[in-house]
């Protein structure tokens, strides 16, 4: 599952890069930039839905960041 997520992220970055390339080099005012950005948005929404589905079905689990960093204060015996 991690490999699929990383591959989708790479395709999203490539789509963003191609949109930038078409924006800078395309002088004909074609819709290549818009098409590349539309693909990027669609892939981003698809990745978000895939992550929600994978989390809901238990394929991926959050890793509770910072859980091990918290230290509890030592318990001291109270004096009577």
């Amino acid at each position: 599952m991690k490999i699929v997520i990383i591959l989708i992220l790479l395709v999203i970055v490539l789509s963003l890069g191609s949109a930038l390339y078409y924006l800078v080099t395309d002088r004909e005012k074609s819709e290549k930039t818009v098409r590349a950005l539309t693909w990027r948005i669609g892939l981003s929404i698809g990745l978000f839905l895939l992550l929600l589905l994978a989390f809901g079905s238990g394929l991926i689990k959050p890793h509770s960041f910072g859980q091990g960093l918290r230290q509890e204060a030592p318990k001291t015996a109270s004096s009577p």
Side-chain angles (χ1 to χ4, degrees):
M1 183 53 95
K2 291 179 185 180
I3 294 173
V4 172
I5 293 170
I6 291 171
L7 287 175
I8 293 173
L9 283 172
L10 286 174
V11 172
I12 289 170
V13 170
L14 288 174
S15 176
L16 188 61
S18 69
L20 177 65
Y21 174 77
Y22 291 134
L23 181 67
V24 172
T25 61
D26 194 14
R27 302 288 179 199
E28 299 173 6
K29 303 291 184 192
S30 67
E31 296 191 12
K32 291 180 181 179
T33 304
V34 175
R35 196 173 318 129
L37 290 174
T38 303
W39 269 101
R40 186 192 65 85
I41 292 170
L43 288 169
S44 297
I45 291 171
L47 177 62
F48 180 73
L49 293 175
L50 176 70
L51 288 172
L52 284 177
L53 182 69
F55 177 68
S57 66
L59 289 174
I60 59 174
K61 295 181 176 97
H63 65 276
S64 65
F65 180 73
Q67 193 74 359
L69 299 177
R70 249 187 307 172
Q71 294 180 357
E72 294 186 22
K75 297 180 181 179
T76 58
S78 60
S79 56

